[in-house]
Amino acid sequence: MDSLLIKGGVPLHGEVNISGAKNAVLPIMAATLLTSEPCVIRRVPNLSDVRFMGQILNWLGAQVRFEGEVVHVRAKKIKGAGDYDLIRKMRGSICIMGPLLGRLRKARVSLPGGCVIGARPINLHLAGLEQLGAQIQQAHGYIEAVAPQGLRGTTIRFERITVTGTEDLIMAAVLARGETVIENAAREPEVADLADLLVKMGAQIEGAGTATIRIQGVARLHGAEHAIIADRIEAGTFLVAAAITGGDLTVTGCVPEHNGALITKLQAAGAEVTEVDRSTLRVRSEGGLRSVDVSTAEYPGFATDLQAQYMALMTQAEGIAIITETIFENRFMHAQELARMGANIRLEGNQAIVAGRKELTGAGVIASDLRASASLVLAALVARGETVIDRVYHIDRGYEKIEGKLAGVGAQIRRLD
Ligand code: EPU
């Protein structure tokens, strides 16, 4: 297993370019199952989760070819059932249910397993698919769904906002008969990006990116070409990296408005963030940060996927910051590891109380999940001495060339085999 060795204390300077969004590309790859014609997806990040999704599509019968940042998929003939236990390992793959049901009227997938950040049930996906007319059974660790007459449009109101649930239902509804209305839908930019691709494929969708999405079912979809949006979580992680190291970073190829909630907090904490142009942000900090409370929320609120990184930042801010996690019930695994580096963090239910500023010192730490590992990298960048982060396969799931990008702006970082 690889580890990362980081020698802290170097302010980051220079320019870093953001990759395509992991959480947009996964449902978009699933969407290619909706047509027998070729699809071309551009700006695809080279991540283990993306290769994993490629394998799932492949096992379903699709031809998948990666060519640098481009992936070509042709799902000419696919099967709705298969031995793809992989879903247990990557939750994002649950969104193949919608497209399989829409196109083949049947789907059989293994139930996703638990996850370190919380239980993460899929009851809302299943309830929505049932409302569209699917009959669903669970047995032997599998979900079997059939819709012998095809799916039919209806109004579905999510009792709680779910990102992949919204994406799954959109993909099920595009080939359903009649109109589907999804209320209390997730407004994340990744949902809107998926809808953009589907519209290029011939789907009729209105309102993606808002809380109410209307879909008129069509008889068939065709092939399309699409470039993935920038990864706002990767961009946000680099914004924090500049602030925590007291550096000056220009983050290119991003969408500034997608990081609005984080930018507001960084500015309140004393970092200088400027929008250079519509795809470039510049962050400067000379230290002297102040603590600012944060509460995670669905988009456009403060992303849960940036909570761990923000916690690392607050260890370096003067005062007490209360960080409230409202999306997942167990997403504070990083707190303990940050404490091993010298942070003062107390956990109380869904709140972390971070007392700063504390000098961090390098230590051997273990990455527990993707965003927790990012927070350890950030802490290591500012810590005195060397930090070794184990189990970096977690970070490789969601950050493309992390050590290359950080080294490019001055970090002393290297991968150990
Ligand atoms: N929920 C249910 N039932 C469901 C679905 C969700 O109770 O059927 C609950 C979840 O347990 C959670 C909340 O609703 O408490 C929100 O979960 P959501 O469904 O929105 O999460 P997700 O779609 O499984 C995506 C991202 C996550 C990100 C969350 C929240 C992908 C592939 N994953 O997960 O990304 O944290 O939305 O924004 O898009 C990451 O990238 O590190 C990551 C975990």
Side-chain angles (χ1 to χ4, degrees):
M1 264 190 276
D2 289 1
S3 323
L4 285 178
L5 171 70
I6 298 173
K7 195 157 177 246
V10 186
L12 302 186
H13 284 277
E15 196 174 297
V16 65
N17 191 39
I18 298 308
S19 302
K22 168 183 84 86
N23 288 346
V25 75
L26 296 176
I28 279 178
M29 286 175 76
T32 63
L33 293 171
L34 283 161
T35 176
S36 59
E37 293 182 15
C39 292
V40 180
I41 310 167
R42 301 191 181 278
R43 202 186 188 190
V44 174
N46 182 7
L47 301 171
S48 56
D49 270 12
V50 172
R51 292 190 293 273
F52 220 30
M53 189 57 138
Q55 279 176 25
I56 292 174
L57 299 186
N58 204 240
W59 289 352
L60 288 168
Q63 292 170 355
V64 182
R65 189 160 47 87
F66 286 94
E67 229 172 53
E69 287 195 344
V70 183
V71 59
H72 302 260
V73 184
R74 178 152 205 200
K76 195 167 178 183
K77 202 162 182 293
I78 52 165
K79 48 189 180 185
D83 180 23
Y84 34 98
D85 236 15
L86 273 170
I87 292 172
R88 283 222 307 246
K89 299 187 197 151
M90 187 181 73
R91 289 195 48 93
S93 52
I94 191 65
C95 53
I96 62 172
M97 287 278 290
L100 288 180
L101 261 174
R103 177 159 161 201
L104 301 176
R105 302 182 172 189
K106 62 178 182 185
R108 179 172 187 269
V109 301
S110 63
L111 268 165
C115 174
V116 291
I117 64 177
R120 303 183 79 182
I122 53 161
N123 58 312
L124 302 173
H125 295 236
L126 300 184
L129 293 171
E130 275 178 337
Q131 280 181 270
L132 288 173
Q135 297 154 21
I136 298 177
Q137 283 190 340
Q138 291 185 32
H140 309 296
Y142 277 82
I143 306 162
E144 287 188 11
V146 290
Q149 315 301 322
L151 300 173
R152 45 174 202 282
T154 186
T155 297
I156 297 159
R157 182 174 178 81
F158 278 120
E159 64 192 51
R160 169 170 193 172
I161 297 175
T162 159
V163 179
T164 49
T166 301
E167 293 163 346
D168 214 3
L169 287 200
I170 293 176
M171 289 189 276
V174 285
L175 291 178
R177 278 196 312 278
E179 183 181 70
T180 301
V181 181
I182 305 176
E183 294 175 350
N184 201 24
R187 290 177 286 164
E188 269 66 5
E190 293 75 18
V191 174
D193 202 33
L194 168 67
D196 281 350
L197 164 80
L198 289 167
V199 166
K200 289 177 192 167
M201 292 169 75
Q204 291 186 19
I205 305 172
E206 274 173 25
T210 74
T212 305
I213 302 174
R214 282 177 192 278
I215 301 150
Q216 300 291 342
V218 296
R220 60 181 294 279
L221 296 179
H222 50 75
E225 203 172 315
H226 183 74
I228 301 292
I229 52 165
D231 195 313
R232 64 197 164 97
I233 308 302
E234 187 198 18
T237 304
F238 280 102
L239 298 185
V240 175
I244 201 171
T245 61
D248 183 351
L249 276 188
T250 301
V251 178
T252 60
C254 64
V255 184
E257 70 178 74
H258 290 173
N259 282 109
L262 173 66
I263 292 171
T264 304
K265 293 291 171 186
L266 290 176
Q267 288 171 331
E272 194 183 315
V273 187
T274 44
E275 190 174 322
V276 178
D277 60 40
R278 290 187 60 198
S279 62
T280 311
L281 283 164
R282 183 171 176 192
V283 199
R284 272 176 290 190
S285 162
E286 288 170 2
L289 296 172
R290 298 178 290 278
S291 294
V292 179
D293 296 348
V294 91
S295 184
T296 61
E298 292 89 355
Y299 189 83
F302 191 98
T304 172
D305 290 346
L306 286 168
Q307 176 259 107
Q309 300 88 318
Y310 188 79
M311 191 183 295
L313 181 71
M314 285 300 105
T315 68
Q316 299 307 297
E318 215 51 62
I320 307 274
I322 299 176
I323 299 177
T324 309
E325 173 56 58
T326 70
I327 307 293
F328 292 111
E329 60 274 23
N330 188 27
R331 208 174 196 182
F332 284 147
M333 307 286 280
H334 42 283
Q336 220 174 350
E337 297 302 294
L338 291 172
R340 297 193 62 245
M341 298 176 72
N344 181 346
I345 303 169
R346 190 159 48 88
L347 298 183
E348 268 181 26
N350 71 338
Q351 293 194 318
I353 297 124
V354 188
R357 170 182 181 263
K358 287 275 178 244
E359 190 193 38
L360 303 182
T361 52
V365 288
I366 296 178
S368 56
D369 71 78
L370 169 56
R371 308 303 171 188
S373 5
S375 83
L376 298 178
V377 169
L378 293 168
L381 289 173
V382 75
R384 182 160 52 81
E386 288 186 346
T387 297
V388 176
I389 305 173
D390 272 343
R391 302 196 190 161
V392 287
Y393 56 84
H394 286 297
I395 207 161
D396 296 331
R397 289 186 42 214
Y399 289 88
E400 188 177 44
K401 305 187 203 117
I402 181 82
E403 69 270 32
K405 288 191 184 185
L406 282 170
V409 289
Q412 295 195 12
I413 178 169
R414 105 185 131 83
R415 188 175 284 255
L416 309 174
D417 268 332

mmCIF file of all heavy atoms in Angstrom, residues 46-74:
data_model
loop_
_atom_site.group_PDB
_atom_site.id
_atom_site.type_symbol
_atom_site.label_atom_id
_atom_site.label_comp_id
_atom_site.label_asym_id
_atom_site.label_seq_id
_atom_site.Cartn_x
_atom_site.Cartn_y
_atom_site.Cartn_z
ATOM 1 N N ASN A 46 -8.382 10.990 -14.000
ATOM 2 C CA ASN A 46 -7.814 9.652 -13.876
ATOM 3 C C ASN A 46 -7.826 9.253 -12.390
ATOM 4 O O ASN A 46 -6.903 9.552 -11.653
ATOM 5 C CB ASN A 46 -6.387 9.674 -14.447
ATOM 6 C CG ASN A 46 -5.751 8.299 -14.398
ATOM 7 O OD1 ASN A 46 -6.404 7.307 -14.057
ATOM 8 N ND2 ASN A 46 -4.472 8.246 -14.710
ATOM 9 N N LEU A 47 -8.918 8.619 -11.976
ATOM 10 C CA LEU A 47 -9.131 8.275 -10.562
ATOM 11 C C LEU A 47 -9.517 6.811 -10.467
ATOM 12 O O LEU A 47 -10.139 6.273 -11.379
ATOM 13 C CB LEU A 47 -10.292 9.097 -9.991
ATOM 14 C CG LEU A 47 -10.172 10.610 -10.037
ATOM 15 C CD1 LEU A 47 -11.497 11.257 -9.631
ATOM 16 C CD2 LEU A 47 -9.060 11.049 -9.092
ATOM 17 N N SER A 48 -9.215 6.208 -9.324
ATOM 18 C CA SER A 48 -9.564 4.787 -9.193
ATOM 19 C C SER A 48 -11.078 4.576 -9.257
ATOM 20 O O SER A 48 -11.542 3.604 -9.836
ATOM 21 C CB SER A 48 -8.954 4.190 -7.936
ATOM 22 O OG SER A 48 -9.354 4.919 -6.806
ATOM 23 N N ASP A 49 -11.879 5.501 -8.706
ATOM 24 C CA ASP A 49 -13.341 5.333 -8.776
ATOM 25 C C ASP A 49 -13.842 5.344 -10.226
ATOM 26 O O ASP A 49 -14.804 4.663 -10.566
ATOM 27 C CB ASP A 49 -14.046 6.469 -8.002
ATOM 28 C CG ASP A 49 -14.266 6.097 -6.530
ATOM 29 O OD1 ASP A 49 -13.684 5.088 -6.072
ATOM 30 O OD2 ASP A 49 -15.012 6.824 -5.841
ATOM 31 N N VAL A 50 -13.173 6.141 -11.058
ATOM 32 C CA VAL A 50 -13.599 6.244 -12.458
ATOM 33 C C VAL A 50 -13.257 4.949 -13.210
ATOM 34 O O VAL A 50 -14.073 4.423 -13.984
ATOM 35 C CB VAL A 50 -12.928 7.476 -13.121
ATOM 36 C CG1 VAL A 50 -13.192 7.517 -14.616
ATOM 37 C CG2 VAL A 50 -13.422 8.752 -12.448
ATOM 38 N N ARG A 51 -12.081 4.399 -12.925
ATOM 39 C CA ARG A 51 -11.703 3.128 -13.568
ATOM 40 C C ARG A 51 -12.640 2.006 -13.113
ATOM 41 O O ARG A 51 -13.014 1.130 -13.879
ATOM 42 C CB ARG A 51 -10.242 2.794 -13.241
ATOM 43 C CG ARG A 51 -9.266 3.772 -13.902
ATOM 44 C CD ARG A 51 -7.834 3.288 -13.771
ATOM 45 N NE ARG A 51 -7.357 3.306 -12.400
ATOM 46 C CZ ARG A 51 -6.799 4.354 -11.795
ATOM 47 N NH1 ARG A 51 -6.661 5.491 -12.462
ATOM 48 N NH2 ARG A 51 -6.381 4.284 -10.556
ATOM 49 N N PHE A 52 -13.019 2.087 -11.868
ATOM 50 C CA PHE A 52 -13.952 1.139 -11.279
ATOM 51 C C PHE A 52 -15.301 1.177 -12.019
ATOM 52 O O PHE A 52 -15.877 0.152 -12.353
ATOM 53 C CB PHE A 52 -14.165 1.626 -9.847
ATOM 54 C CG PHE A 52 -14.241 0.564 -8.818
ATOM 55 C CD1 PHE A 52 -13.574 -0.636 -8.952
ATOM 56 C CD2 PHE A 52 -14.994 0.785 -7.679
ATOM 57 C CE1 PHE A 52 -13.660 -1.596 -7.965
ATOM 58 C CE2 PHE A 52 -15.076 -0.163 -6.694
ATOM 59 C CZ PHE A 52 -14.412 -1.356 -6.844
ATOM 60 N N MET A 53 -15.790 2.382 -12.254
ATOM 61 C CA MET A 53 -17.056 2.535 -12.974
ATOM 62 C C MET A 53 -16.899 1.988 -14.389
ATOM 63 O O MET A 53 -17.817 1.355 -14.918
ATOM 64 C CB MET A 53 -17.462 4.014 -12.998
ATOM 65 C CG MET A 53 -18.852 4.241 -13.516
ATOM 66 S SD MET A 53 -20.087 3.321 -12.552
ATOM 67 C CE MET A 53 -21.360 4.496 -12.411
ATOM 68 N N GLY A 54 -15.725 2.209 -14.991
ATOM 69 C CA GLY A 54 -15.446 1.660 -16.322
ATOM 70 C C GLY A 54 -15.581 0.139 -16.301
ATOM 71 O O GLY A 54 -16.165 -0.455 -17.213
ATOM 72 N N GLN A 55 -15.069 -0.480 -15.253
ATOM 73 C CA GLN A 55 -15.154 -1.948 -15.147
ATOM 74 C C GLN A 55 -16.602 -2.412 -15.028
ATOM 75 O O GLN A 55 -17.003 -3.404 -15.621
ATOM 76 C CB GLN A 55 -14.427 -2.418 -13.883
ATOM 77 C CG GLN A 55 -12.931 -2.522 -14.040
ATOM 78 C CD GLN A 55 -12.291 -2.911 -12.697
ATOM 79 O OE1 GLN A 55 -12.917 -3.521 -11.834
ATOM 80 N NE2 GLN A 55 -11.046 -2.544 -12.519
ATOM 81 N N ILE A 56 -17.390 -1.654 -14.257
ATOM 82 C CA ILE A 56 -18.798 -2.048 -14.094
ATOM 83 C C ILE A 56 -19.518 -2.002 -15.449
ATOM 84 O O ILE A 56 -20.226 -2.931 -15.831
ATOM 85 C CB ILE A 56 -19.497 -1.141 -13.056
ATOM 86 C CG1 ILE A 56 -18.910 -1.418 -11.669
ATOM 87 C CG2 ILE A 56 -21.003 -1.360 -13.048
ATOM 88 C CD1 ILE A 56 -19.409 -0.500 -10.575
ATOM 89 N N LEU A 57 -19.292 -0.902 -16.191
ATOM 90 C CA LEU A 57 -19.953 -0.773 -17.499
ATOM 91 C C LEU A 57 -19.513 -1.912 -18.411
ATOM 92 O O LEU A 57 -20.303 -2.495 -19.151
ATOM 93 C CB LEU A 57 -19.609 0.578 -18.149
ATOM 94 C CG LEU A 57 -20.027 1.847 -17.395
ATOM 95 C CD1 LEU A 57 -19.732 3.082 -18.243
ATOM 96 C CD2 LEU A 57 -21.503 1.824 -17.027
ATOM 97 N N ASN A 58 -18.223 -2.210 -18.334
ATOM 98 C CA ASN A 58 -17.647 -3.275 -19.146
ATOM 99 C C ASN A 58 -18.300 -4.620 -18.825
ATOM 100 O O ASN A 58 -18.677 -5.374 -19.725
ATOM 101 C CB ASN A 58 -16.157 -3.304 -18.819
ATOM 102 C CG ASN A 58 -15.368 -3.904 -19.937
ATOM 103 O OD1 ASN A 58 -14.707 -4.889 -19.730
ATOM 104 N ND2 ASN A 58 -15.472 -3.329 -21.127
ATOM 105 N N TRP A 59 -18.463 -4.903 -17.564
ATOM 106 C CA TRP A 59 -19.058 -6.173 -17.166
ATOM 107 C C TRP A 59 -20.540 -6.261 -17.528
ATOM 108 O O TRP A 59 -21.101 -7.334 -17.622
ATOM 109 C CB TRP A 59 -18.860 -6.418 -15.660
ATOM 110 C CG TRP A 59 -17.431 -6.719 -15.341
ATOM 111 C CD1 TRP A 59 -16.433 -6.922 -16.237
ATOM 112 C CD2 TRP A 59 -16.851 -6.853 -14.057
ATOM 113 N NE1 TRP A 59 -15.255 -7.169 -15.590
ATOM 114 C CE2 TRP A 59 -15.481 -7.136 -14.239
ATOM 115 C CE3 TRP A 59 -17.336 -6.760 -12.758
ATOM 116 C CZ2 TRP A 59 -14.595 -7.330 -13.193
ATOM 117 C CZ3 TRP A 59 -16.455 -6.953 -11.701
ATOM 118 C CH2 TRP A 59 -15.108 -7.231 -11.925
ATOM 119 N N LEU A 60 -21.151 -5.074 -17.697
ATOM 120 C CA LEU A 60 -22.546 -5.077 -18.142
ATOM 121 C C LEU A 60 -22.639 -5.275 -19.646
ATOM 122 O O LEU A 60 -23.733 -5.379 -20.194
ATOM 123 C CB LEU A 60 -23.222 -3.752 -17.761
ATOM 124 C CG LEU A 60 -23.520 -3.569 -16.272
ATOM 125 C CD1 LEU A 60 -23.899 -2.126 -15.980
ATOM 126 C CD2 LEU A 60 -24.636 -4.499 -15.831
ATOM 127 N N GLY A 61 -21.483 -5.278 -20.323
ATOM 128 C CA GLY A 61 -21.476 -5.537 -21.767
ATOM 129 C C GLY A 61 -21.073 -4.344 -22.612
ATOM 130 O O GLY A 61 -20.996 -4.449 -23.830
ATOM 131 N N ALA A 62 -20.837 -3.186 -22.000
ATOM 132 C CA ALA A 62 -20.475 -1.993 -22.779
ATOM 133 C C ALA A 62 -18.990 -2.032 -23.151
ATOM 134 O O ALA A 62 -18.186 -2.618 -22.432
ATOM 135 C CB ALA A 62 -20.756 -0.737 -21.959
ATOM 136 N N GLN A 63 -18.671 -1.432 -24.280
ATOM 137 C CA GLN A 63 -17.253 -1.253 -24.638
ATOM 138 C C GLN A 63 -16.804 0.066 -24.036
ATOM 139 O O GLN A 63 -17.431 1.102 -24.274
ATOM 140 C CB GLN A 63 -17.089 -1.158 -26.154
ATOM 141 C CG GLN A 63 -17.386 -2.449 -26.872
ATOM 142 C CD GLN A 63 -17.456 -2.236 -28.371
ATOM 143 O OE1 GLN A 63 -17.379 -1.115 -28.869
ATOM 144 N NE2 GLN A 63 -17.616 -3.325 -29.088
ATOM 145 N N VAL A 64 -15.725 0.017 -23.285
ATOM 146 C CA VAL A 64 -15.243 1.228 -22.600
ATOM 147 C C VAL A 64 -13.774 1.394 -22.953
ATOM 148 O O VAL A 64 -12.982 0.481 -22.793
ATOM 149 C CB VAL A 64 -15.366 1.076 -21.069
ATOM 150 C CG1 VAL A 64 -14.925 2.352 -20.353
ATOM 151 C CG2 VAL A 64 -16.793 0.721 -20.667
ATOM 152 N N ARG A 65 -13.431 2.581 -23.467
ATOM 153 C CA ARG A 65 -12.027 2.821 -23.839
ATOM 154 C C ARG A 65 -11.566 4.143 -23.248
ATOM 155 O O ARG A 65 -12.169 5.198 -23.497
ATOM 156 C CB ARG A 65 -11.921 2.840 -25.370
ATOM 157 C CG ARG A 65 -10.497 2.874 -25.906
ATOM 158 C CD ARG A 65 -10.472 2.415 -27.352
ATOM 159 N NE ARG A 65 -11.499 3.051 -28.171
ATOM 160 C CZ ARG A 65 -11.352 4.225 -28.791
ATOM 161 N NH1 ARG A 65 -10.228 4.889 -28.709
ATOM 162 N NH2 ARG A 65 -12.330 4.735 -29.511
ATOM 163 N N PHE A 66 -10.536 4.091 -22.425
ATOM 164 C CA PHE A 66 -9.956 5.312 -21.851
ATOM 165 C C PHE A 66 -8.817 5.768 -22.751
ATOM 166 O O PHE A 66 -7.970 4.977 -23.139
ATOM 167 C CB PHE A 66 -9.400 5.034 -20.444
ATOM 168 C CG PHE A 66 -10.467 4.869 -19.401
ATOM 169 C CD1 PHE A 66 -10.957 3.607 -19.071
ATOM 170 C CD2 PHE A 66 -10.998 5.971 -18.748
ATOM 171 C CE1 PHE A 66 -11.959 3.464 -18.114
ATOM 172 C CE2 PHE A 66 -11.993 5.828 -17.782
ATOM 173 C CZ PHE A 66 -12.470 4.568 -17.465
ATOM 174 N N GLU A 67 -8.811 7.043 -23.076
ATOM 175 C CA GLU A 67 -7.756 7.608 -23.936
ATOM 176 C C GLU A 67 -7.354 8.930 -23.320
ATOM 177 O O GLU A 67 -7.941 9.973 -23.608
ATOM 178 C CB GLU A 67 -8.366 7.889 -25.315
ATOM 179 C CG GLU A 67 -7.573 7.360 -26.466
ATOM 180 C CD GLU A 67 -8.386 7.536 -27.745
ATOM 181 O OE1 GLU A 67 -8.841 8.668 -28.015
ATOM 182 O OE2 GLU A 67 -8.566 6.530 -28.443
ATOM 183 N N GLY A 68 -6.417 8.911 -22.404
ATOM 184 C CA GLY A 68 -6.062 10.138 -21.685
ATOM 185 C C GLY A 68 -7.259 10.647 -20.916
ATOM 186 O O GLY A 68 -7.855 9.905 -20.133
ATOM 187 N N GLU A 69 -7.633 11.898 -21.198
ATOM 188 C CA GLU A 69 -8.757 12.496 -20.461
ATOM 189 C C GLU A 69 -10.113 12.222 -21.101
ATOM 190 O O GLU A 69 -11.106 12.837 -20.737
ATOM 191 C CB GLU A 69 -8.569 14.015 -20.407
ATOM 192 C CG GLU A 69 -7.484 14.446 -19.456
ATOM 193 C CD GLU A 69 -7.575 15.936 -19.149
ATOM 194 O OE1 GLU A 69 -8.259 16.671 -19.886
ATOM 195 O OE2 GLU A 69 -6.967 16.353 -18.159
ATOM 196 N N VAL A 70 -10.121 11.311 -22.075
ATOM 197 C CA VAL A 70 -11.374 11.048 -22.789
ATOM 198 C C VAL A 70 -11.774 9.594 -22.560
ATOM 199 O O VAL A 70 -10.925 8.702 -22.573
ATOM 200 C CB VAL A 70 -11.183 11.287 -24.307
ATOM 201 C CG1 VAL A 70 -12.493 11.087 -25.057
ATOM 202 C CG2 VAL A 70 -10.631 12.680 -24.554
ATOM 203 N N VAL A 71 -13.058 9.379 -22.323
ATOM 204 C CA VAL A 71 -13.525 7.994 -22.274
ATOM 205 C C VAL A 71 -14.623 7.807 -23.311
ATOM 206 O O VAL A 71 -15.504 8.644 -23.468
ATOM 207 C CB VAL A 71 -13.946 7.552 -20.838
ATOM 208 C CG1 VAL A 71 -15.032 8.392 -20.258
ATOM 209 C CG2 VAL A 71 -14.340 6.094 -20.816
ATOM 210 N N HIS A 72 -14.467 6.722 -24.077
ATOM 211 C CA HIS A 72 -15.458 6.373 -25.101
ATOM 212 C C HIS A 72 -16.256 5.188 -24.569
ATOM 213 O O HIS A 72 -15.663 4.197 -24.155
ATOM 214 C CB HIS A 72 -14.763 5.925 -26.392
ATOM 215 C CG HIS A 72 -13.842 6.953 -26.964
ATOM 216 N ND1 HIS A 72 -14.193 7.761 -28.010
ATOM 217 C CD2 HIS A 72 -12.579 7.310 -26.624
ATOM 218 C CE1 HIS A 72 -13.185 8.578 -28.298
ATOM 219 N NE2 HIS A 72 -12.191 8.327 -27.469
ATOM 220 N N VAL A 73 -17.573 5.315 -24.586
ATOM 221 C CA VAL A 73 -18.399 4.191 -24.131
ATOM 222 C C VAL A 73 -19.403 3.860 -25.221
ATOM 223 O O VAL A 73 -20.051 4.753 -25.779
ATOM 224 C CB VAL A 73 -19.184 4.531 -22.837
ATOM 225 C CG1 VAL A 73 -19.943 3.305 -22.345
ATOM 226 C CG2 VAL A 73 -18.265 5.039 -21.741
ATOM 227 N N ARG A 74 -19.520 2.577 -25.517
ATOM 228 C CA ARG A 74 -20.612 2.163 -26.400
ATOM 229 C C ARG A 74 -21.334 0.990 -25.758
ATOM 230 O O ARG A 74 -20.797 -0.115 -25.677
ATOM 231 C CB ARG A 74 -20.089 1.790 -27.782
ATOM 232 C CG ARG A 74 -21.224 1.323 -28.637
ATOM 233 C CD ARG A 74 -21.013 1.560 -30.088
ATOM 234 N NE ARG A 74 -22.323 1.632 -30.726
ATOM 235 C CZ ARG A 74 -22.532 1.456 -32.009
ATOM 236 N NH1 ARG A 74 -21.505 1.267 -32.805
ATOM 237 N NH2 ARG A 74 -23.739 1.507 -32.514
#
